[in-house]
Each structure stands twice: as C-alpha cells, then as structure tokens.
Amino acid sequence: MHLARFPRLHLAHLPTPLEPMKRLSKELGVEIWIKRDDCTGMSTGGNKTRKLEFLMAEAEAQGADMVMTQGATQTNHGRQTAAFAAKLGLDCHILLEDRTGYEDANYNTNGNVLLDHLHGATTEKFAGGHDMPGEMEKAANKKRAEGRNVYVIPGGGSNPTGALGYVNAAFEIIGQANDSGLRIDRLVHATGSSGTQAGLVAGMCAMNAQVSVLGIGTRAPQPKQEQMVFDLACKTAVKLGCADVVKREDVMANTDYVGKGYGLPTKSGIEAIQMFAELEGILLDPCYSAKGAAGLIDLARKGEFKDERVVFLHTGGAAALGGYDFAFDHQNRWVTV
Ligand SMILES: Cc1ncc(COP(=O)(O)O)c(C=O)c1O
C-alpha cells in the first residue's frame, strides 16, 4: 500500500512505541501490550496527530489561512488541531459544544480549553444539541465572506483523509509485530467519531493482517457506532484504491462502557485510570481512553481474551485530566463519580 501518494506533513513522532504492560498483564492474567499513540507529539500527543498529518497537508495544498473544527468542550481533537495550526502559522477557530452540562470552572477553562487558547486558537461555545457541522459551515462561510480561505475539519478529524492516519498506524503496528516476531491477536481501543477504527480496519483488511480490531464505544449505541465505522472504513478503502476489502463483520464495537453518556466519567473508567497510573505509570483520560481501558479490563476479567495477545491502542487524552479533577477524590485518592 502506497500512502506516499497522498499529501502528508510528517510532523508526528513516529513510530510510537509498542511495549509490554507487564504489571497490568499479571494483574489480569492476559498478555497485554500497549501502542503508545499518546506519544505522537503535538501538544502532548494523541490519536489526532496522525489524522492531522493528512488533513493539514490538504489544508496547505488548498492554500488555507485558517482551519476550523468542532467538538465537545474538552475536545482533544480541537487542542491538537490548534497546536498543528500554530506550527503551520494558520489561524484556528474551534466550536465547542456543551455535551455534559458541567458548570465546573476547571471543566470549562482548564485542561484542553486552556491549551486551545495557549496555542492561539479562538473558541466559541454552543449549548448541547446544536447541529454542530451546520454551525461550523455557517461560521466558515462568514469568515469566507470576510476574505479568509478556511479549511473545515470535521469533528474528530474523521473523514477518509483523516482516517489515512490510522491506515498508516495499522501498517506501523504490523511492521513492528513482524520485526519483533510478535503475533497480535486483538487490538482494543476507544472509538468515538470513528476515524481511528475505520482507518485501522481499512489498513488491516488491505494487508490481510488477520488482527481483530475491537472499538470500545464512548458515545453512540452499538449499531450506530458500528455503522459509522463501517461506512467510513469503506470510503477509506475506496480512497486507498482497494474498495470491497472491508467486510461488515470486520467492524466490532462494544458500547457497554459508555455509562450515562458522552464525556461523563464512569466508575469503571476511574478504576482503569487508577490501574494504568499505578501499575504502568501511564495516564488515561476519563472521556475516551479510560472507557476503552475499562472495556479491556472487564473483558479480560471475563475471560474474553483467553490465550490471546492483546494490544491496547492508547489514543491519548490525558491533557483533559485537569478539566476533570472533580471526578477524583483527592483525599482518599479516587473513587467519586
Ligand atoms: C483520546 C481520544 N481517544 C479516542 C478518541 C476516539 O477516536 P475517533 O474519534 O477517531 O473514533 C478520541 C476522539 O476524540 C480521543 O480524543
């Protein structure tokens, strides 16, 4: 597969490490490795850096002087887009939707919001339930009428261009596995706007890697999540020139760990944060990677991964922790949700 056919800015710190998690593996009785996409670079890293390598190259190719995107208040994607824009000297505007109703000061101004502003981005707030893609198109058109050349990036950077970043990640993971003789049975990660899983599935299918990819949902119910991933994986495969490689059964999402809703911390997610921090020295975030890890931990305890070697793809997000300090009981060190 020849990804160099697509415009790309090589700014991510790649390849990210693929490492064993020895203490967590011992605790759960399953061999678990971690793919450190929390270390991709660009304002503390995370999965969006890989997508933005392709999206921002397209923005540059189109002569954009401004990028615009949208997400929840604590969007990691917004923060990484702001950082990438700063690096390229582009203006960045982020539309933030209140999907949680939290009035907590840190949630609204700390964590990713603080970093958005540090990178020079402007932000605009919307109440929950708005048609955010529609609002973004309106905002972009307003700027265009003022003479700006705006490149619009969908929420989560999830379109076939952004998903190329995770096709590339699939190649990278299989390359690392082959080089070190590491058979991988399953890849587990948090899934949301779907570009990460869609790119991974398209890449794995294009290579016939026979590694099963399990997305752990963070927002939508299972049928919707799987359909979103499947649709985008198919479009990504078309872009790659290998339409039809992705079959519906290649897309699997488990949405049992969403809890009460998007961006709302769960007890199992807080436990996952605690376990990763204390056993492996690795930070997760309550909105995405902790829910992905909660699924990993629970399914491991239930025997789902018997005799398998599992890789947990860490998609980043720890920059949001400062916005979620209310979810932790500092005095007793954890457990309030
Ligand atoms: C830390 C983190 N993990 C996982 C995801 C989900 O990735 P995707 O939106 O590509 O499904 C996101 C999306 O914003 C994220 O910020």
Side-chain angles (χ1 to χ4, degrees), residues 296-317:
L296 172 85
I297 291 164
D298 187 52
L299 294 171
R301 283 176 175 153
K302 288 176 173 158
E304 176 90 10
F305 305 129
K306 194 170 175 305
D307 301 328
E308 290 187 11
R309 181 178 288 125
V310 180
V311 173
F312 178 70
L313 171 70
H314 188 339
T315 45

PDB file of all heavy atoms in Angstrom, residues 296-317:
ATOM      1  N   LEU A 296     -11.336  -3.047  28.147  1.00  0.00           N
ATOM      2  CA  LEU A 296     -10.225  -4.002  28.096  1.00  0.00           C
ATOM      3  C   LEU A 296     -10.143  -4.797  29.406  1.00  0.00           C
ATOM      4  O   LEU A 296     -10.051  -6.028  29.409  1.00  0.00           O
ATOM      5  CB  LEU A 296      -8.919  -3.227  27.872  1.00  0.00           C
ATOM      6  CG  LEU A 296      -7.627  -4.013  27.987  1.00  0.00           C
ATOM      7  CD1 LEU A 296      -7.304  -4.690  26.651  1.00  0.00           C
ATOM      8  CD2 LEU A 296      -6.449  -3.109  28.393  1.00  0.00           C
ATOM      9  N   ILE A 297     -10.197  -4.087  30.526  1.00  0.00           N
ATOM     10  CA  ILE A 297     -10.032  -4.720  31.845  1.00  0.00           C
ATOM     11  C   ILE A 297     -11.207  -5.666  32.130  1.00  0.00           C
ATOM     12  O   ILE A 297     -11.016  -6.813  32.534  1.00  0.00           O
ATOM     13  CB  ILE A 297      -9.918  -3.621  32.942  1.00  0.00           C
ATOM     14  CG1 ILE A 297      -8.592  -2.869  32.784  1.00  0.00           C
ATOM     15  CG2 ILE A 297     -10.060  -4.214  34.348  1.00  0.00           C
ATOM     16  CD1 ILE A 297      -8.522  -1.542  33.538  1.00  0.00           C
ATOM     17  N   ASP A 298     -12.423  -5.184  31.883  1.00  0.00           N
ATOM     18  CA  ASP A 298     -13.600  -6.000  32.187  1.00  0.00           C
ATOM     19  C   ASP A 298     -13.634  -7.252  31.307  1.00  0.00           C
ATOM     20  O   ASP A 298     -13.882  -8.363  31.800  1.00  0.00           O
ATOM     21  CB  ASP A 298     -14.869  -5.159  31.995  1.00  0.00           C
ATOM     22  CG  ASP A 298     -16.106  -5.908  32.474  1.00  0.00           C
ATOM     23  OD1 ASP A 298     -16.093  -6.385  33.634  1.00  0.00           O
ATOM     24  OD2 ASP A 298     -17.074  -6.043  31.699  1.00  0.00           O
ATOM     25  N   LEU A 299     -13.366  -7.089  30.019  1.00  0.00           N
ATOM     26  CA  LEU A 299     -13.408  -8.242  29.116  1.00  0.00           C
ATOM     27  C   LEU A 299     -12.287  -9.224  29.457  1.00  0.00           C
ATOM     28  O   LEU A 299     -12.477 -10.439  29.358  1.00  0.00           O
ATOM     29  CB  LEU A 299     -13.310  -7.782  27.659  1.00  0.00           C
ATOM     30  CG  LEU A 299     -14.525  -6.955  27.182  1.00  0.00           C
ATOM     31  CD1 LEU A 299     -14.265  -6.354  25.804  1.00  0.00           C
ATOM     32  CD2 LEU A 299     -15.793  -7.802  27.156  1.00  0.00           C
ATOM     33  N   ALA A 300     -11.140  -8.705  29.887  1.00  0.00           N
ATOM     34  CA  ALA A 300     -10.040  -9.595  30.302  1.00  0.00           C
ATOM     35  C   ALA A 300     -10.478 -10.400  31.533  1.00  0.00           C
ATOM     36  O   ALA A 300     -10.269 -11.614  31.602  1.00  0.00           O
ATOM     37  CB  ALA A 300      -8.796  -8.774  30.617  1.00  0.00           C
ATOM     38  N   ARG A 301     -11.122  -9.710  32.480  1.00  0.00           N
ATOM     39  CA  ARG A 301     -11.574 -10.410  33.699  1.00  0.00           C
ATOM     40  C   ARG A 301     -12.626 -11.462  33.376  1.00  0.00           C
ATOM     41  O   ARG A 301     -12.730 -12.483  34.057  1.00  0.00           O
ATOM     42  CB  ARG A 301     -12.156  -9.391  34.690  1.00  0.00           C
ATOM     43  CG  ARG A 301     -11.075  -8.592  35.419  1.00  0.00           C
ATOM     44  CD  ARG A 301     -11.704  -7.541  36.307  1.00  0.00           C
ATOM     45  NE  ARG A 301     -10.691  -6.839  37.094  1.00  0.00           N
ATOM     46  CZ  ARG A 301     -10.831  -5.586  37.541  1.00  0.00           C
ATOM     47  NH1 ARG A 301     -11.936  -4.906  37.289  1.00  0.00           N
ATOM     48  NH2 ARG A 301      -9.875  -5.032  38.248  1.00  0.00           N
ATOM     49  N   LYS A 302     -13.411 -11.210  32.338  1.00  0.00           N
ATOM     50  CA  LYS A 302     -14.468 -12.167  31.963  1.00  0.00           C
ATOM     51  C   LYS A 302     -13.943 -13.303  31.091  1.00  0.00           C
ATOM     52  O   LYS A 302     -14.715 -14.142  30.633  1.00  0.00           O
ATOM     53  CB  LYS A 302     -15.581 -11.434  31.220  1.00  0.00           C
ATOM     54  CG  LYS A 302     -16.435 -10.547  32.125  1.00  0.00           C
ATOM     55  CD  LYS A 302     -17.447  -9.780  31.300  1.00  0.00           C
ATOM     56  CE  LYS A 302     -18.418  -9.034  32.206  1.00  0.00           C
ATOM     57  NZ  LYS A 302     -19.062  -7.906  31.481  1.00  0.00           N
ATOM     58  N   GLY A 303     -12.650 -13.294  30.774  1.00  0.00           N
ATOM     59  CA  GLY A 303     -12.062 -14.397  30.004  1.00  0.00           C
ATOM     60  C   GLY A 303     -12.204 -14.262  28.496  1.00  0.00           C
ATOM     61  O   GLY A 303     -11.920 -15.194  27.741  1.00  0.00           O
ATOM     62  N   GLU A 304     -12.618 -13.081  28.048  1.00  0.00           N
ATOM     63  CA  GLU A 304     -12.834 -12.849  26.604  1.00  0.00           C
ATOM     64  C   GLU A 304     -11.550 -13.007  25.781  1.00  0.00           C
ATOM     65  O   GLU A 304     -11.597 -13.352  24.611  1.00  0.00           O
ATOM     66  CB  GLU A 304     -13.390 -11.431  26.429  1.00  0.00           C
ATOM     67  CG  GLU A 304     -13.594 -10.975  25.013  1.00  0.00           C
ATOM     68  CD  GLU A 304     -14.972 -11.313  24.477  1.00  0.00           C
ATOM     69  OE1 GLU A 304     -15.829 -11.742  25.284  1.00  0.00           O
ATOM     70  OE2 GLU A 304     -15.183 -11.160  23.286  1.00  0.00           O
ATOM     71  N   PHE A 305     -10.389 -12.742  26.406  1.00  0.00           N
ATOM     72  CA  PHE A 305      -9.130 -12.746  25.646  1.00  0.00           C
ATOM     73  C   PHE A 305      -8.275 -13.981  25.954  1.00  0.00           C
ATOM     74  O   PHE A 305      -7.057 -13.950  25.802  1.00  0.00           O
ATOM     75  CB  PHE A 305      -8.305 -11.484  25.972  1.00  0.00           C
ATOM     76  CG  PHE A 305      -9.038 -10.187  25.755  1.00  0.00           C
ATOM     77  CD1 PHE A 305      -9.080  -9.224  26.762  1.00  0.00           C
ATOM     78  CD2 PHE A 305      -9.679  -9.919  24.552  1.00  0.00           C
ATOM     79  CE1 PHE A 305      -9.743  -8.014  26.570  1.00  0.00           C
ATOM     80  CE2 PHE A 305     -10.350  -8.711  24.351  1.00  0.00           C
ATOM     81  CZ  PHE A 305     -10.377  -7.758  25.356  1.00  0.00           C
ATOM     82  N   LYS A 306      -8.944 -15.062  26.359  1.00  0.00           N
ATOM     83  CA  LYS A 306      -8.209 -16.270  26.765  1.00  0.00           C
ATOM     84  C   LYS A 306      -7.202 -16.696  25.670  1.00  0.00           C
ATOM     85  O   LYS A 306      -7.562 -16.781  24.504  1.00  0.00           O
ATOM     86  CB  LYS A 306      -9.220 -17.397  27.022  1.00  0.00           C
ATOM     87  CG  LYS A 306      -8.653 -18.583  27.758  1.00  0.00           C
ATOM     88  CD  LYS A 306      -9.773 -19.527  28.191  1.00  0.00           C
ATOM     89  CE  LYS A 306      -9.229 -20.780  28.815  1.00  0.00           C
ATOM     90  NZ  LYS A 306      -8.293 -21.530  28.018  1.00  0.00           N
ATOM     91  N   ASP A 307      -5.970 -16.901  26.065  1.00  0.00           N
ATOM     92  CA  ASP A 307      -4.888 -17.345  25.164  1.00  0.00           C
ATOM     93  C   ASP A 307      -4.567 -16.350  24.050  1.00  0.00           C
ATOM     94  O   ASP A 307      -3.928 -16.701  23.059  1.00  0.00           O
ATOM     95  CB  ASP A 307      -5.205 -18.713  24.531  1.00  0.00           C
ATOM     96  CG  ASP A 307      -5.403 -19.783  25.581  1.00  0.00           C
ATOM     97  OD1 ASP A 307      -4.746 -19.689  26.640  1.00  0.00           O
ATOM     98  OD2 ASP A 307      -6.237 -20.687  25.375  1.00  0.00           O
ATOM     99  N   GLU A 308      -5.043 -15.108  24.182  1.00  0.00           N
ATOM    100  CA  GLU A 308      -4.739 -14.117  23.145  1.00  0.00           C
ATOM    101  C   GLU A 308      -3.636 -13.164  23.612  1.00  0.00           C
ATOM    102  O   GLU A 308      -3.474 -12.941  24.802  1.00  0.00           O
ATOM    103  CB  GLU A 308      -5.981 -13.251  22.837  1.00  0.00           C
ATOM    104  CG  GLU A 308      -7.088 -13.987  22.133  1.00  0.00           C
ATOM    105  CD  GLU A 308      -8.212 -13.047  21.695  1.00  0.00           C
ATOM    106  OE1 GLU A 308      -8.040 -11.804  21.747  1.00  0.00           O
ATOM    107  OE2 GLU A 308      -9.261 -13.565  21.302  1.00  0.00           O
ATOM    108  N   ARG A 309      -2.915 -12.611  22.649  1.00  0.00           N
ATOM    109  CA  ARG A 309      -2.034 -11.474  22.950  1.00  0.00           C
ATOM    110  C   ARG A 309      -2.768 -10.228  22.451  1.00  0.00           C
ATOM    111  O   ARG A 309      -3.110 -10.117  21.272  1.00  0.00           O
ATOM    112  CB  ARG A 309      -0.687 -11.613  22.257  1.00  0.00           C
ATOM    113  CG  ARG A 309       0.240 -10.450  22.595  1.00  0.00           C
ATOM    114  CD  ARG A 309       1.607 -10.610  21.946  1.00  0.00           C
ATOM    115  NE  ARG A 309       2.403 -11.650  22.559  1.00  0.00           N
ATOM    116  CZ  ARG A 309       2.940 -12.677  21.892  1.00  0.00           C
ATOM    117  NH1 ARG A 309       2.743 -12.802  20.594  1.00  0.00           N
ATOM    118  NH2 ARG A 309       3.668 -13.577  22.509  1.00  0.00           N
ATOM    119  N   VAL A 310      -3.038  -9.308  23.393  1.00  0.00           N
ATOM    120  CA  VAL A 310      -3.874  -8.146  23.102  1.00  0.00           C
ATOM    121  C   VAL A 310      -3.007  -6.889  23.107  1.00  0.00           C
ATOM    122  O   VAL A 310      -2.140  -6.719  23.956  1.00  0.00           O
ATOM    123  CB  VAL A 310      -4.978  -8.003  24.193  1.00  0.00           C
ATOM    124  CG1 VAL A 310      -5.863  -6.798  23.913  1.00  0.00           C
ATOM    125  CG2 VAL A 310      -5.817  -9.271  24.273  1.00  0.00           C
ATOM    126  N   VAL A 311      -3.259  -6.010  22.135  1.00  0.00           N
ATOM    127  CA  VAL A 311      -2.610  -4.692  22.140  1.00  0.00           C
ATOM    128  C   VAL A 311      -3.678  -3.644  22.430  1.00  0.00           C
ATOM    129  O   VAL A 311      -4.711  -3.603  21.756  1.00  0.00           O
ATOM    130  CB  VAL A 311      -1.926  -4.385  20.786  1.00  0.00           C
ATOM    131  CG1 VAL A 311      -1.417  -2.937  20.763  1.00  0.00           C
ATOM    132  CG2 VAL A 311      -0.774  -5.349  20.531  1.00  0.00           C
ATOM    133  N   PHE A 312      -3.438  -2.837  23.453  1.00  0.00           N
ATOM    134  CA  PHE A 312      -4.315  -1.704  23.736  1.00  0.00           C
ATOM    135  C   PHE A 312      -3.714  -0.486  23.053  1.00  0.00           C
ATOM    136  O   PHE A 312      -2.573  -0.104  23.331  1.00  0.00           O
ATOM    137  CB  PHE A 312      -4.420  -1.472  25.249  1.00  0.00           C
ATOM    138  CG  PHE A 312      -5.283  -0.274  25.607  1.00  0.00           C
ATOM    139  CD1 PHE A 312      -6.654  -0.310  25.412  1.00  0.00           C
ATOM    140  CD2 PHE A 312      -4.717   0.881  26.128  1.00  0.00           C
ATOM    141  CE1 PHE A 312      -7.457   0.791  25.725  1.00  0.00           C
ATOM    142  CE2 PHE A 312      -5.506   1.988  26.445  1.00  0.00           C
ATOM    143  CZ  PHE A 312      -6.886   1.940  26.240  1.00  0.00           C
ATOM    144  N   LEU A 313      -4.475   0.106  22.145  1.00  0.00           N
ATOM    145  CA  LEU A 313      -4.014   1.334  21.479  1.00  0.00           C
ATOM    146  C   LEU A 313      -4.389   2.517  22.366  1.00  0.00           C
ATOM    147  O   LEU A 313      -5.583   2.796  22.553  1.00  0.00           O
ATOM    148  CB  LEU A 313      -4.675   1.470  20.106  1.00  0.00           C
ATOM    149  CG  LEU A 313      -4.452   2.806  19.395  1.00  0.00           C
ATOM    150  CD1 LEU A 313      -3.009   2.962  18.935  1.00  0.00           C
ATOM    151  CD2 LEU A 313      -5.402   2.944  18.201  1.00  0.00           C
ATOM    152  N   HIS A 314      -3.377   3.166  22.916  1.00  0.00           N
ATOM    153  CA  HIS A 314      -3.626   4.335  23.779  1.00  0.00           C
ATOM    154  C   HIS A 314      -3.788   5.553  22.877  1.00  0.00           C
ATOM    155  O   HIS A 314      -2.814   6.013  22.267  1.00  0.00           O
ATOM    156  CB  HIS A 314      -2.454   4.525  24.742  1.00  0.00           C
ATOM    157  CG  HIS A 314      -2.690   5.564  25.799  1.00  0.00           C
ATOM    158  ND1 HIS A 314      -3.634   6.574  25.670  1.00  0.00           N
ATOM    159  CD2 HIS A 314      -2.115   5.755  27.012  1.00  0.00           C
ATOM    160  CE1 HIS A 314      -3.615   7.339  26.739  1.00  0.00           C
ATOM    161  NE2 HIS A 314      -2.709   6.858  27.581  1.00  0.00           N
ATOM    162  N   THR A 315      -4.998   6.067  22.808  1.00  0.00           N
ATOM    163  CA  THR A 315      -5.303   7.161  21.875  1.00  0.00           C
ATOM    164  C   THR A 315      -5.073   8.546  22.484  1.00  0.00           C
ATOM    165  O   THR A 315      -5.385   9.554  21.862  1.00  0.00           O
ATOM    166  CB  THR A 315      -6.763   7.022  21.403  1.00  0.00           C
ATOM    167  OG1 THR A 315      -7.588   6.752  22.554  1.00  0.00           O
ATOM    168  CG2 THR A 315      -6.920   5.901  20.394  1.00  0.00           C
ATOM    169  N   GLY A 316      -4.551   8.589  23.711  1.00  0.00           N
ATOM    170  CA  GLY A 316      -4.193   9.879  24.322  1.00  0.00           C
ATOM    171  C   GLY A 316      -5.310  10.450  25.180  1.00  0.00           C
ATOM    172  O   GLY A 316      -6.168   9.728  25.669  1.00  0.00           O
ATOM    173  N   GLY A 317      -5.289  11.762  25.351  1.00  0.00           N
ATOM    174  CA  GLY A 317      -6.383  12.441  26.054  1.00  0.00           C
ATOM    175  C   GLY A 317      -6.063  12.932  27.445  1.00  0.00           C
ATOM    176  O   GLY A 317      -6.874  13.643  28.059  1.00  0.00           O
TER     177      GLY A 317
END
